[in-house]
Amino acid sequence: MARAFSIRRQRGFTAIAVACFFALYLPIGVLVFYSFNAGESLASFDGISLRWFAKAFQNQQVIDASIRSLQIASVAAVVATIAATMAALATTRTEPYRGLTLKYAFINQPLMIPEIVTAVALLIFFARIKIWTGYSGLGYLIAAHTAFCIPFAYLPIRARLENMDLTLEKAAADLYATPWNAFRYVTLPLLWPGILAGFMLAFVISLDDVVITEFVKSAGQDTLPTYMLGQIRRSITPEMNAISTLFLLLSIGVVTVFFIVNRKRV
Amino acid sequence: MTDAAGTIEAEQSKDIRKRWLLSLPALLIILLAATGPLLIVLLYSFLAPGPYGDVQWAPSLEGWIGVFLEKDIFDETLSLASAHISIFMRSVGLSLVTTILTLLVGFPTAYFIATRPEKTRELWLFLITIPFWTNLLIRTFAILEVIRNEGLINGLLIKTGLIAKPIQMLFTDGAILTGMVYVYLPLMVLPLYASMEKLDFRLVEAGYDLYATPFRVLRKIIIPLVKPGIIAGSILVFIPALGAYVTPSILGGGKNMMLGNLIELQFGQGRNWPLGSALSITLMLIVMVALLVYVRNAGSQGSRHG
Amino acid sequence: MAELNAVEIRQVSKIFGFGEFAFAAVDNTSVSIRQNEFFTLLGPSGCGKTTLLRLIAGFEYPTSGEILLNGENIAAMPPFKRPINTVFQSYALFPHMTVAENIGFGLTMLGKPKQEIKSRVDAMLKLVRMEALAGRRTSQISGGQQQRVALARALAPQPKVLLLDEPLSALDYKLRKDMQIELKRLQAETGITFIFVTHDQEEALTMSDRIAVMSSGKILQVGNPREIYDAPADRFVADFIGETNFLKGRIGSVVNGVADVDTSVAGRISATVPQDFHAEGEVTVVLRPEHATLCPPDQPAACQMSGTLENVVYFGTDTHYHVRLSDGETVFTLREQNKPLQAARFSAGDRVGIALEANAARVLRN
Ligand SMILES: Nc1ncnc2c1ncn2[C@@H]1O[C@H](COP(=O)(O)OP(=O)(O)OP(=O)(O)O)[C@@H](O)[C@H]1O
Ligand SMILES: [Mg+2]
C-alpha cells in the first residue's frame, strides 16, 4: 500500500536525524558506561563498580578544582546576568539611537572572536596587571568569565524583552504606576524567566570554559575543566570517566531546569 | 503656552542618557576583560620578543615576519614558513569541512525536530540541547574514548579478531574532523531549528499545489526561507572551529596542529609572544574576512530569492 | 458660570518624523468634550484617532497646542499623574496577575488602603459581572471576559475621563452588540466621561451622545448622531457615514431654505439648503438610499428620475437596487424595506422610475 503523502516529509531526513542522535549519544554513553568499570584500564570492562567515583571523591585536587569552578561560575554568572539585564533594558524597545549599533557590537563581541584570541589577550593583559598590583587571586578569572558570559546571558533576556507587549507598561503608567513601579510590578515579573534562563546559560558557559581559564589562571588555580585537560593529556584512568559522568549529570540537571523555566510561559 | 516640543526633546535625551547609564556596566566589563586587551595584542605583535617570554619594549616587525617567513638557523636567510602555511591551510580547510558536514547532518536533524508533533518535539529538542550544554572537553574526551588505540572501536575489532593490531585513528586529521563535527553539531542544529520552527508550512503546501516535487520544495521554498538559520549556524560553527584549541590538542596531538595550538605554543614553549600576538591577529582577520564574504554572499543570494 | 468642559483640545498638532518625512497624525485640531458625555471619535483607519487618544492619555506629547482637563493644561503631564484611564485595544491585561489583581492595580499604585482596594475591586467585579472569575489568570478567560476586566480595571480608580480605543473590535458580532449595551449602561451608572474610538459607523451612531468625524488628522464635523447622519457637513462625512447618492446640478432660487436644483439626470428637484449657506452655480445634492423608492416608468408624474435596473441585492431586512440613470453614467442606489411574502417588484434589466420622498435631497456645503 502506498504511504499517504505528507507535505512535511523529505526523503532520507528521518534516517539522517536518527543516525545523528545515535551518533551524538553513543560516545557519551560509552564514556558513562566505562565510569562504572571495575578494572584499571579502559581497554576492557571488568564488571560494575563505583570505585572510580569513590576515588574521585577522595581526590583533593578534584574537590578543590570543583569548588573553584563553582565559585567562579556563581559570581561570574550573577554579575553577568545583572549587567546583561541592564544592557538588555537599555538596548531594546526603542527607536534606534546613536550608539545603539555600537552597543550591540560591543556586547556580542566576545562571541565574534575566537576564544583563543581572547585568551591570549587576557594572558598578556593580566600578566602586566599582576606585575603592577602584585594581586594574583581569583579576580582575574572571575572578570574574564563575567565578560564572556555577558553575551550569553544577554541573549534570552533580550529575546524575552522584545517579545513583551509594550502596551503593558503603558497600561501600568495609565494606572498611576510611576516608571519605577511599572518596572517593579510589571516588567520585572514578566522578564523573570528570561533572566533565569540567562543566568543558567551564563553559569554553564562559565563552568564549561577551558581555553580562557587555561591561559588566565595562575599556578594552583585549576578549575575542574583545566584539571581534566591536564589529566587527559597525561594518563587516562576511569576516574576521568567518573568525573565526566558527574559533570554530565550537573549539565543535564541545569538543562532540565532551563527547559521547565522556558516552557512555563506566562 | 507650554513648550511641548522642548519637553519631548528633553524627555528623549533623558531617556537616551538613562539607557547609556544602564548599559555601562556590561560595556565596561567587556571593554576591560575582552575588547581592550585585544588592542594590547595588536601592540605586542609589533614589539620584540623577550628572552624568557613576554616582550621587550622595542618596536619590531619580527613577530609579523615570523607569521609567514622563517629564518634559517644557520645562514639566517628567510624562506616561506611552510609549517605555518600548512597549519593555516589545515585550520581553514578543517573548519570549512566541519561547517559543511555539520550543515549536511544538522539540516535534516533540525528539520526532523521541527516537523515532530508538538508533544514529542520538546523531547527531541531536549535531546539536542543536552550535548549543547555539556562540556566540550567531556565530549572531546568521549570521542577520544571511542577512537583511541585502546578505545571502543579498536577494542571491538581486535576482540572479534578482524584485526590484530589497533588501527591508528587518534592523532590524525580525521580524528580532529570527527571530533569537531561531533562537538559543534549542536551549534548548527539549534539556530537551524529556531528558523525552521517559524517556517509556515502553508507555503510548502502552496509549493506542492503548484506542482513542485519534494526536492524542489526543499530547494526553492524551505531552504530560502530558513536561510537566516543556515547563516547563523554556519557562523556559530565556523568561528569556534577556526580557533579550536581543545579538540585538536586532544585528538590531533602535537603534530597535527591547528592555529589555536600554534598560538598557544608561542606563549608556552615557543616563548615568542610577538609571534603569538601576530598569529592571533591573523586568525582574527581570517575570521572577519570569512564573515564578510559569507554574509555578503548569503545576502545577495537572499535578495535574489526575495 | 458655565460648566467646564471635561476635556478641551486646543489647536493640537502631533507631528511624527522630521524634515521631509514629517507627518501630521493630528493636524491643528480643536474640540471640546463635555462633562459626562459619551463622545465618539469616528474615522477611517490611519486618520489619527488613536494618536489623539494617546495625546489625551499622556503616552504622546503634542508637538504644539494645549490639552485641558477640567480647565487645567495637562499637555506635559506624565500619564501616571493624569486622572484618566484607558481601555486598550488589545486590553493589555497583565498576564502574571489574576483578574482581581489586575482590577486593583491602579488603586494599589495610588497607595490606597488594602480594605478600600478590596471593596472597590469587589464592586467592580460585580459591575462587570465577573465575580466568579476573580481568582483566574487573565490568560485563562475568554476574549469577552478579558474585555470586561480591562473595563473594570480602567474604571476602578474612578477616573475623570475614560478612554476606549476600539474596545469591541476583537469581539464577534453578537458579543459586540451585548457589550455595546453594557458600555452604555456602565457609562450611565458611573457618570464618567467616555471618549470612545471606533471606525464602525453603526456603533458610533447607536452609542454616542456626540460624534466627531475625523479624516487625515483633522476633525471635520462634531454633532449628535442625527446631525451627522442627516446633515453631513461635507462630502467626506456624507460618504463615510452610511451610503449616499451624489448628484450634480445648478442651483436656482432658494425659498425658505429649500432650493430648486436643476440636475441633468433627474431634472429639477427641491433640496434643503444648510443654514447660512449661500451657493451659486454648480452644487452637489446628496440623497440617502432609503429616501427613494422604485416606481413603474410609465407614471412620469410620480417619478423624478428613470433608468435601467442593474442589479438587485437581497439583504434580509431590505433589498438594495442599483439603477443606472438615463445619462448612462451615474449609478443610483436605493433601498426598500422587505415586506412579508412579497417578491421583488422589479428585476435586473427592467426600466424603472425613481420617486424621491419629500425633503429627501440636501445641498452639500462644498
Ligand atoms: N509612532 C509613530 N511614528 C510615526 N507615525 C505614526 C506613529 N504613530 C502613528 N503614526 C501615523 O499616524 C497616523 C495616524 O495613526 P493612528 O494610529 O492615530 O490611526 P487610527 O486612526 O487610530 O487608525 P486605526 O483605525 O487603523 O487604528 C497613521 O498614518 C500612522 O501611520
Ligand atoms: Mg487606532
Side-chain angles (χ1 to χ4, degrees):
Chain A
M1 200 179 78
R3 189 150 148 197
F5 180 77
S6 157
I7 59 149
R8 283 158 190 259
R9 195 164 167 270
Q10 286 288 340
R11 187 186 296 269
F13 274 26
T14 304
I16 297 176
V18 171
C20 170
F21 277 106
F22 186 72
L24 272 180
Y25 279 91
L26 178 78
I28 298 180
V30 171
L31 181 122
V32 171
F33 183 70
Y34 272 91
S35 67
F36 294 100
N37 192 357
E40 282 289 335
S41 91
L42 294 168
S44 59
F45 193 79
D46 306 327
I48 292 178
S49 125
L50 289 178
R51 61 180 279 210
W52 297 109
F53 286 92
K55 184 135 191 266
F57 277 119
Q58 282 156 13
N59 185 338
Q60 194 57 42
Q61 275 178 298
V62 172
I63 295 168
D64 289 346
S66 305
I67 291 173
R68 205 170 290 120
S69 275
L70 289 173
Q71 277 173 343
I72 295 170
S74 317
V75 179
V78 168
V79 178
T81 308
I82 294 172
T85 306
M86 288 163 66
L89 285 167
T91 51
T92 50
R93 310 187 301 169
T94 167
E95 307 261 305
Y97 57 93
R98 265 245 309 249
L100 186 60
T101 324
L102 183 77
K103 282 188 194 174
Y104 284 140
F106 237 90
I107 292 167
N108 288 313
Q109 182 267 324
L111 293 180
M112 286 291 139
I113 304 271
E115 214 186 345
I116 185 85
V117 177
T118 313
V120 164
L122 290 174
L123 168 75
I124 294 175
F125 180 54
F126 288 154
R128 281 269 147 227
I129 297 187
K130 276 177 199 171
I131 294 170
W132 284 344
T133 62
Y135 170 75
S136 60
L138 279 185
Y140 301 106
L141 279 175
I142 290 174
H145 279 230
T146 307
F148 70 72
C149 282
I150 286 177
F152 288 98
Y154 177 76
L155 235 55
I157 300 173
R158 179 185 160 189
R160 180 126 193 136
L161 267 173
E162 277 183 343
N163 288 333
M164 216 154 94
D165 190 356
L166 258 178
T167 48
L168 290 176
E169 280 140 311
K170 293 262 156 65
D174 189 61
L175 294 161
Y176 315 106
T178 56
W180 167 249
N181 274 344
F183 176 74
R184 164 86 185 65
Y185 293 106
V186 177
T187 317
L188 198 58
L190 290 171
L191 191 55
W192 199 237
I195 295 177
L196 212 54
F199 170 78
M200 282 189 293
L201 203 52
F203 186 77
V204 171
I205 293 290
S206 164
L207 214 54
D208 285 355
D209 182 69
V210 186
V211 182
I212 289 178
T213 314
E214 179 79 9
F215 279 72
V216 170
K217 71 178 171 108
S218 307
Q221 288 188 339
D222 261 321
T223 61
L224 194 56
T226 59
Y227 170 77
M228 287 171 71
L229 181 64
Q231 290 300 307
I232 290 170
R233 277 170 170 169
R234 270 178 235 128
S235 63
I236 310 166
T237 63
E239 190 188 340
M240 272 298 105
N241 297 55
I243 299 171
S244 299
T245 301
L246 293 171
F247 212 136
L248 211 63
L249 265 174
L250 181 69
S251 303
I252 294 174
V254 179
V255 192
T256 312
V257 175
F258 180 85
F259 253 72
I260 293 169
V261 168
N262 259 8
R263 259 176 78 160
K264 218 180 68 189
R265 297 212 170 100
V266 242
Chain B
M1 181 139 171
T2 54
D3 187 7
T7 318
I8 318 169
E9 228 147 80
E11 283 289 317
Q12 272 172 354
S13 63
K14 207 176 107 194
D15 180 61
I16 290 177
R17 227 174 311 136
K18 203 181 74 196
R19 285 172 180 277
W20 273 105
L21 220 58
L22 269 176
S23 39
L24 210 57
L27 297 181
L28 273 183
I29 293 170
I30 290 175
L31 184 71
L32 270 178
T35 315
L38 288 178
L39 297 176
I40 303 179
V41 177
L42 188 63
L43 173 69
Y44 268 42
S45 72
F46 290 105
L47 296 178
Y52 309 106
D54 213 330
V55 287
Q56 289 171 330
W57 290 96
S60 158
L61 283 176
E62 251 180 82
W64 281 101
I65 291 169
V67 172
F68 302 104
L69 302 173
E70 59 191 352
K71 231 183 235 157
D72 194 291
I73 352 173
F74 300 110
D75 59 8
E76 302 242 314
T77 51
L78 291 172
S79 59
L80 217 56
S82 53
H84 288 186
I85 305 286
S86 82
I87 289 175
F88 273 109
M89 304 289 271
R90 169 184 292 119
S91 294
V92 173
L94 282 176
S95 307
L96 275 179
V97 178
T98 301
T99 310
I100 293 167
L101 286 178
T102 49
L103 184 59
L104 286 180
V105 179
F107 192 94
T109 307
Y111 187 85
F112 172 81
I113 302 174
T115 50
R116 287 312 89 194
E118 200 87 39
K119 269 188 190 153
T120 48
R121 200 188 306 167
E122 289 271 324
L123 177 72
W124 291 108
L125 200 58
F126 183 66
L127 285 179
I128 203 80
T129 317
I130 288 177
F132 177 79
W133 290 65
T134 306
N135 197 328
L136 179 139
L137 179 65
I138 293 179
R139 282 180 291 144
T140 307
F141 177 46
I143 288 288
L144 176 71
E145 294 269 86
V146 173
I147 64 171
R148 65 204 198 112
N149 287 1
E150 306 83 28
L152 181 76
I153 295 178
N154 276 320
L156 281 179
L157 288 177
I158 290 174
K159 213 165 250 168
T160 51
L162 281 174
I163 52 170
K165 255 182 23 199
I167 307 168
Q168 179 65 39
M169 286 181 284
L170 198 58
F171 305 143
T172 62
D173 281 355
I176 301 180
L177 190 63
T178 311
M180 292 215 297
V181 170
Y182 181 70
V183 296
Y184 294 133
L185 188 62
L187 287 178
M188 178 64 87
V189 177
L190 285 177
L192 275 175
Y193 168 78
S195 62
M196 282 181 192
E197 187 194 32
K198 290 189 220 108
L199 186 68
D200 183 353
F201 274 93
R202 285 173 305 179
L203 298 174
V204 173
E205 273 175 17
Y208 282 122
D209 186 59
L210 296 165
Y211 316 110
T213 58
F215 180 71
R216 299 188 101 188
V217 164
L218 179 68
R219 178 77 195 71
K220 297 276 177 196
I221 297 174
I222 299 175
I223 290 180
L225 284 175
V226 300
K227 187 151 244 161
I230 297 178
I231 294 173
S234 304
I235 290 176
L236 242 48
V237 170
F238 186 76
I239 295 180
L242 199 60
Y245 166 74
V246 173
T247 308
S249 89
I250 291 178
L251 300 177
K255 278 204 334 231
N256 299 51
M257 275 198 278
M258 281 179 68
L259 258 173
N261 311 95
L262 183 62
I263 293 172
E264 194 253 0
L265 196 64
Q266 308 314 318
F267 288 91
Q269 299 156 345
R271 300 210 168 149
N272 192 342
W273 288 25
L275 175 57
S277 300
L279 285 168
S280 301
I281 302 285
T282 313
L283 172 58
M284 233 167 79
L285 290 178
I286 298 177
V287 166
M288 279 175 189
V289 170
L291 273 181
L292 274 180
V293 169
Y294 198 82
V295 171
R296 178 161 306 166
N297 273 350
S300 64
Q301 262 181 21
S303 65
R304 232 184 296 143
H305 283 292
Chain C
M1 196 183 97
E3 201 181 13
L4 280 171
N5 284 318
V7 176
E8 208 164 315
I9 311 282
R10 286 193 189 155
Q11 287 157 7
V12 165
S13 291
K14 176 68 193 179
I15 295 170
F16 289 114
F18 299 98
E20 55 181 315
F21 300 109
F23 170 81
V26 173
D27 192 0
N28 197 14
T29 287
S30 301
V31 62
S32 301
I33 294 144
R34 297 174 193 148
Q35 300 288 352
N36 307 339
E37 79 174 330
F38 197 115
F39 190 87
T40 298
L41 291 170
L42 176 65
S45 188
C47 71
K49 307 180 295 285
T50 298
T51 307
L52 189 54
L53 217 58
R54 288 164 60 82
L55 286 167
I56 300 172
F59 303 134
E60 306 277 5
Y61 297 110
T63 313
S64 64
E66 294 181 0
I67 298 172
L68 273 60
L69 178 71
N70 293 327
E72 186 197 353
N73 187 358
I74 56 163
M77 191 187 270
F80 57 89
K81 293 200 178 136
R82 301 187 186 196
I84 296 176
N85 290 141
T86 308
V87 177
F88 292 84
Q89 184 165 5
S90 57
Y91 310 144
L93 296 178
F94 304 124
H96 57 300
M97 297 180 195
T98 63
V99 166
E101 284 166 349
N102 262 282
I103 296 175
F105 188 84
L107 297 162
T108 312
M109 289 300 117
L110 286 172
K112 292 277 188 279
K114 284 233 159 54
Q115 201 46 49
E116 187 188 329
I117 295 176
K118 194 178 168 332
S119 64
R120 185 94 191 108
V121 168
D122 287 343
M124 282 297 125
L125 283 166
K126 196 152 171 243
L127 189 69
V128 296
R129 305 185 182 124
M130 289 282 296
E131 299 101 312
L133 301 176
R136 285 266 190 98
R137 285 281 167 127
T138 52
S139 51
Q140 299 163 340
I141 57 178
S142 74
Q145 290 165 341
Q146 287 180 7
Q147 211 278 328
R148 281 158 203 267
V149 175
L151 200 58
R153 185 179 73 174
L155 283 171
Q158 291 171 300
K160 299 258 176 10
V161 177
L162 187 74
L163 309 176
L164 305 101
D165 191 356
E166 306 198 22
L168 307 180
S169 62
L171 305 179
D172 65 48
Y173 182 78
K174 192 87 175 59
L175 202 53
R176 198 157 76 225
K177 291 282 154 211
D178 291 346
M179 281 309 297
Q180 287 176 358
I181 295 168
E182 187 99 359
L183 268 182
K184 275 301 269 186
R185 172 181 74 89
L186 283 172
Q187 201 254 336
E189 268 175 39
T190 56
I192 293 172
T193 308
F194 276 34
I195 305 180
F196 183 86
V197 162
T198 182
H199 57 237
D200 179 342
Q201 40 147 319
E202 188 187 318
E203 197 166 277
L205 291 173
T206 54
M207 296 178 74
S208 319
D209 294 325
R210 288 196 306 151
I211 298 172
V213 182
M214 280 188 83
S215 167
S216 318
K218 286 190 186 301
I219 291 183
L220 301 178
Q221 186 176 7
V222 181
N224 66 39
R226 251 221 126 75
E227 287 164 358
I228 298 275
Y229 188 81
D230 282 347
D234 61 12
R235 192 181 176 107
F236 179 88
V237 177
D239 203 21
F240 187 71
I241 313 284
E243 247 181 309
T244 310
N245 295 297
F246 296 96
L247 298 177
K248 284 216 178 311
R250 288 192 72 78
I251 194 162
S253 60
V254 182
V255 182
N256 281 340
V258 176
D260 192 27
V261 181
D262 185 8
T263 63
S264 52
V265 286
R268 307 180 80 83
I269 53 179
S270 15
T272 322
V273 180
Q275 268 173 18
D276 58 44
F277 177 64
H278 303 285
E280 277 176 32
E282 283 281 325
V283 290
T284 302
V285 170
V286 288
L287 279 157
R288 294 288 185 190
E290 64 274 24
H291 295 152
T293 45
L294 291 177
C295 53
D298 46 11
Q299 297 172 8
C303 314
Q304 281 95 331
M305 296 183 252
S306 68
T308 313
L309 187 54
E310 287 216 319
N311 60 53
V312 179
V313 187
Y314 178 72
F315 267 84
T317 54
D318 43 25
T319 302
H320 293 200
Y321 299 93
H322 300 281
V323 181
R324 187 166 293 276
L325 297 184
S326 43
D327 67 345
E329 259 176 47
T330 323
V331 174
F332 193 94
T333 305
L334 54 85
R335 191 187 299 171
E336 285 185 2
Q337 190 126 34
N338 290 326
K339 304 273 167 4
L341 299 177
Q342 185 181 313
R345 289 180 294 148
F346 300 95
S347 52
D350 289 355
R351 282 212 44 88
V352 292
I354 297 171
L356 302 177
E357 278 171 33
N359 306 325
R362 188 175 169 84
V363 175
L364 203 60
R365 221 187 276 262
N366 284 33

